[in-house]
Amino acid sequence: MNLLTLENVSKSFTERMLFDHISLGINEGDKIGVIGINGTGKSTLLKIIAGLEEPDEGTVTKGNKLRIAYLPQTPVFDDTKSILANVTEGQSAKESYRNLAGEARSMLLKFGITDPEGSASVLSGGQKKRAALVRTLLTESDLLVLDEPTNHLDSDMTEWLEDYLNKWKGAFIMITHDRYFLDRVTNKIVELDKGKLYSYQTNYSGFIALKAEREEMALATERKARTLFKTELAWMQRGARARSTKQKAHIQRFEALRDREKIREDGSVEINALSSRMGKKTIELYDISKSYNGRLLFAPFSYILLSTDRIGIVGHNGCGKSTLLNILTGNLLPDTGYVEMGTTMKIGYFSQENEALNPDQTVLQYVRDTAEYIETKDGTMSASAMCEQFLFDGSMQHTRIEKLSGGEKRRLYLLKVLMEAPNVLILDEPTNDLDIQTLTILENYLQDYPGIVVTVSHDRYFLDKTATRIFSFEHGTIARYEGNYSDFKEAQKERGTIPASSVPGKPVQNSSDGTGADNSNTSKATWKQREAKLKFSYKEQKEYETIDADIAALEEKIAGLEQDIAGAATEYSRLTALMAEKEQAEAALDEKMDRWVYLNDLAEQIEAAKNV
């Protein structure tokens, strides 16, 4: 049964057309994800569906008894009332207020809000978003309209919400940039693109494939139209005259081709790897710890950041992740221990909240405050050209910041951070409010970035793409795990227990089992018992000298196989053989990486023993 229909709806914001005569039907059982570049009007579309804004043109038809619950991007609370009162006020329960209040308390606790009777005035922005999500989920409704419900949720909360929405009997439409979340809870994707709306009856993974097909078909049609236009133009230039009905029709076809709406390929956020030279000494943490209001955030922790580190930091909200970042950047002192920073370290800090942006400045003025020209790996680039790379075209560059969407402001802030050419990137929740296209390009950029990257994020997909080591906050300790987020979850599952904290003392550079102690000798059963004597065997010495080259060769082989696989998509038998070969190469690479950790760790201990 149809719940709500948009027909030929148009909406403009100042001089910008958000969407132009779009139509959308929402039916019972629809679980819809809305996708689009920041500034395309996604939040405005949800407000129109929720009845909070009217379209400039078109109609919105709703069922007479349709109940809608709406989660805004930036919720507003009455600070004179308690959190519980804000969450439950104006709502009805099937039985009693006490049951509603009990359900609200339970759900607030799941979302990390432990004092529901406290004043709403003490809530942070993230806590308000989570409390507003509770309020929305408690509202009796047939249609949930959710604007960024996964922002400010940790991984456990996100998984709980996944389960909740998968069991939800009604329909929902939501904006989120969490791609794993979209994959697991949606059955329909709608995309806002250049003022048009496209619907796909699938989840996010299916959408990627279908969108590629749609764009290829559109580009093929455009290529044919261009060829035909050239032919028709040549005919017109020979001096066509409209002396017959046939010639008039021919001229009309030419004019239709000339005046057609051209297919424009998507712009993209293209970021050249900007960084400053890095010396041998990076950032070294010695037995640092921190408490807050008598609560231990993390026990003494030591670590030396490597020049190639890609660290993802995870843990529940309020555990101290951002505090650790502030200690790393020198904005906060630890309670115990100290931080030593190399003289060449230049930190770029993309904080959870944008720096104060002057609303009266234009985009270009803001960027020029950082630099008029910058050096990239491809040469000198002007501030205006960098704006173009970040999807701020000529007209947008002269737009005042106050007119930008929240996501566009985040993208502009990211541009400024990267233009400063840091050699250490500290990213605090970078996926909040950035669209999927920007996130994808940022992920690709980080893979080639010649510096250290430390990221706090609850976006599992982003961490899988960018992290090679995980720091996990666990009961007042920081545990280390090798690999990306999925590897970390698998390691936790296999272990079945909470790892021990890192041992205070000299910082450790590598750890293969993630316990925080240096237990890299336990990676394989065949050589997990290290000999007491600290020296290489002849065979180990030879292996140590060649293992870097062996790893590079395997990585090159896997890259070549991936290219062959991409070119053999329609050759089933060859594709199967290539996939099997790639799997064997990846297993060999995993074995080599474990040996690399073991041999380098032994080499460090041998060297240390010599210096005693």
Side-chain angles (χ1 to χ4, degrees):
M1 185 178 78
N2 181 260
L3 301 176
L4 181 145
T5 301
L6 278 66
E7 293 183 280
N8 293 316
V9 166
S10 297
K11 187 71 176 181
S12 297
F13 179 70
T14 61
E15 69 280 359
R16 192 194 315 185
M17 174 64 75
L18 296 179
F19 30 88
D20 183 19
H21 294 92
I22 65 171
S23 297
L24 173 67
I26 302 177
N27 302 313
E28 285 185 345
D30 276 349
K31 298 184 175 183
I32 304 172
V34 182
I35 287 177
I37 296 172
N38 291 138
T40 54
K42 301 187 298 294
S43 292
T44 301
L45 175 64
L46 292 199
K47 289 177 183 176
I48 290 173
I49 290 171
L52 300 176
E53 283 196 21
E54 293 294 327
D56 297 337
E57 296 180 62
T59 59
V60 180
T61 307
K62 303 178 184 178
N64 291 332
K65 296 182 180 180
L66 179 65
R67 300 169 300 174
I68 296 176
Y70 172 64
L71 173 69
Q73 190 174 57
T74 307
V76 177
F77 275 39
D78 185 343
D79 288 345
T80 65
K81 297 179 179 177
S82 71
I83 301 166
L84 185 63
N86 272 279
V87 167
T88 59
E89 190 171 32
Q91 302 201 46
S92 59
K94 293 180 179 178
E95 295 180 20
S96 67
Y97 173 81
R98 183 177 180 182
N99 288 342
L100 178 62
E103 190 177 352
R105 286 191 179 93
S106 174
M107 202 175 287
L108 285 167
L109 187 61
K110 282 186 176 69
F111 286 107
I113 299 172
T114 57
D115 183 18
E117 305 296 344
S119 171
S121 63
V122 303
L123 294 177
S124 66
Q127 289 171 323
K128 280 187 177 179
K129 186 64 181 269
R130 298 198 296 274
L133 178 58
V134 171
R135 178 170 61 191
T136 304
L137 297 181
L138 286 174
T139 302
E140 292 185 9
S141 61
D142 308 298
L143 174 64
L144 292 173
V145 180
L146 308 173
D147 196 342
E148 295 286 7
T150 57
N151 273 9
H152 308 289
L153 300 188
D154 63 33
S155 301
D156 289 339
M157 295 172 189
T158 302
E159 289 170 7
W160 181 90
L161 184 60
E162 273 180 13
D163 186 59
Y164 182 95
L165 291 178
N166 279 324
K167 293 176 181 176
W168 170 252
K169 300 300 183 184
F172 65 74
I173 181 168
M174 69 174 178
I175 299 166
T176 181
H177 303 138
D178 187 322
R179 286 152 286 182
Y180 281 157
F181 192 83
L182 278 171
D183 232 16
R184 293 166 184 172
V185 303
T186 62
N187 57 24
K188 182 176 181 179
I189 299 292
V190 297
E191 179 191 21
L192 276 172
D193 183 23
K194 303 180 184 73
K196 303 299 182 183
L197 186 139
Y198 303 91
S199 295
Y200 306 83
Q201 295 291 336
T202 181
N203 62 4
Y204 179 75
S205 295
F207 153 76
I208 293 297
L210 292 174
K211 179 183 178 178
E213 289 179 14
R214 174 181 69 80
E215 289 182 335
E216 182 54 38
M217 288 176 63
L219 288 172
T221 301
E222 175 63 19
R223 286 192 291 269
K224 290 178 183 177
R226 288 174 189 165
T227 301
L228 183 58
F229 176 72
K230 288 178 182 178
T231 302
E232 296 296 291
L233 179 61
W235 180 79
M236 289 290 291
Q237 289 174 338
R238 286 198 298 269
R241 296 290 183 268
R243 286 194 292 264
S244 70
T245 302
K246 185 175 181 180
Q247 285 180 319
K248 286 179 182 178
H250 203 153
I251 292 171
Q252 287 170 354
R253 287 199 302 273
F254 166 78
E255 291 172 342
L257 283 167
R258 180 194 62 196
D259 300 334
R260 75 191 186 280
E261 184 177 345
K262 310 296 191 299
I263 299 296
R264 293 178 292 132
E265 295 191 55
D266 287 340
S268 63
V269 181
E270 297 179 2
I271 315 171
N272 285 319
L274 310 175
S275 70
S276 303
R277 186 188 69 82
M278 185 187 303
K280 289 185 178 180
K281 185 165 184 176
T282 59
I283 303 174
E284 301 178 1
L285 312 178
Y286 291 88
D287 290 347
I288 63 168
S289 68
K290 193 69 180 177
S291 297
Y292 182 72
N293 286 342
R295 181 171 67 90
L296 178 67
L297 296 180
F298 53 90
F301 174 75
S302 298
Y303 187 77
I304 294 175
L305 276 78
L306 305 176
S307 61
T308 56
D309 261 344
R310 298 290 187 270
I311 297 171
I313 302 177
V314 300
H316 63 79
N317 287 315
C319 67
K321 301 186 299 296
S322 293
T323 299
L324 178 60
L325 294 190
N326 279 308
I327 291 173
L328 273 173
T329 57
N331 295 325
L332 187 66
L333 291 175
D335 294 341
T336 66
Y338 58 96
V339 178
E340 288 187 357
M341 189 170 297
T343 56
T344 62
M345 291 297 95
K346 185 176 180 181
I347 293 176
Y349 186 23
F350 186 60
S351 64
Q352 196 166 150
E353 300 295 333
N354 292 348
E355 66 177 21
L357 304 179
N358 183 348
D360 295 325
Q361 274 191 313
T362 66
V363 168
L364 187 57
Q365 287 170 342
Y366 175 77
V367 174
R368 280 177 172 165
D369 281 350
T370 301
E372 181 67 44
Y373 294 93
I374 58 169
E375 292 295 327
T376 75
K377 66 179 181 181
D378 298 324
T380 302
M381 184 174 288
S382 69
S384 178
M386 280 297 291
C387 287
E388 289 275 357
Q389 300 287 62
F390 273 68
L391 303 184
F392 295 111
D393 59 21
S395 60
M396 283 291 291
Q397 290 178 27
H398 300 287
T399 299
R400 288 165 58 182
I401 288 174
E402 67 176 356
K403 294 184 178 180
L404 300 181
S405 70
E408 287 171 324
K409 289 176 182 176
R410 288 291 281 171
R411 191 197 308 151
L412 181 61
Y413 177 40
L414 176 62
L415 168 57
K416 181 174 182 180
V417 170
L418 296 179
M419 278 189 68
E420 291 170 347
N423 49 33
V424 181
L425 269 177
I426 307 290
L427 308 174
D428 194 355
E429 294 292 357
T431 62
N432 282 357
D433 299 318
L434 287 180
D435 58 72
I436 290 174
Q437 184 178 356
T438 305
L439 288 176
T440 300
I441 303 300
L442 176 59
E443 289 159 358
N444 294 336
Y445 165 76
L446 292 178
Q447 289 179 1
D448 297 324
Y449 175 70
I452 297 168
V453 181
V454 181
T455 305
V456 167
S457 181
H458 299 308
D459 188 318
R460 299 156 295 178
Y461 189 100
F462 187 82
L463 289 177
D464 269 351
K465 290 276 285 184
T466 62
T468 58
R469 180 167 296 155
I470 298 294
F471 286 1
S472 174
F473 279 69
E474 299 174 356
H475 301 286
T477 66
I478 301 176
R480 293 195 301 277
Y481 296 79
E482 294 304 305
N484 60 16
Y485 183 83
S486 292
D487 296 326
F488 151 70
K489 293 298 286 186
E490 188 63 31
Q492 280 198 322
K493 181 180 177 182
E494 289 177 359
R495 181 174 291 110
T497 58
I498 299 298
S501 64
S502 62
V503 178
K506 182 183 177 183
V508 181
Q509 290 192 357
N510 288 295
S511 170
S512 68
D513 72 346
T515 63
D518 183 16
N519 292 327
S520 54
N521 54 318
T522 62
S523 56
K524 293 292 174 184
T526 55
W527 36 269
K528 67 180 181 180
Q529 298 299 326
R530 177 173 294 164
E531 296 179 9
K533 57 184 180 180
L534 288 177
K535 67 177 184 179
F536 280 129
S537 67
Y538 176 80
K539 182 178 178 181
E540 285 174 333
Q541 180 65 45
K542 290 295 183 184
E543 186 180 9
Y544 178 65
E545 292 169 358
T546 61
I547 195 164
D548 286 325
D550 293 342
I551 289 171
L554 281 168
E555 289 174 337
E556 186 176 344
K557 180 180 180 180
I558 290 169
L561 287 168
E562 287 174 345
Q563 289 182 348
D564 292 342
I565 288 168
T570 59
E571 303 173 52
Y572 179 76
S573 59
R574 181 169 176 248
L575 183 62
T576 302
L578 287 169
M579 291 291 287
E581 188 177 355
K582 179 172 177 277
E583 187 174 342
Q584 290 176 357
E586 287 174 337
L589 179 61
D590 288 342
E591 174 75 19
K592 284 291 184 185
M593 291 303 295
D594 283 336
R595 285 293 291 174
W596 183 91
V597 170
Y598 167 79
L599 293 169
N600 277 270
D601 181 48
L602 181 54
E604 287 177 8
Q605 292 204 23
I606 292 169
E607 187 64 29
K610 289 179 182 177
N611 296 328
V612 172

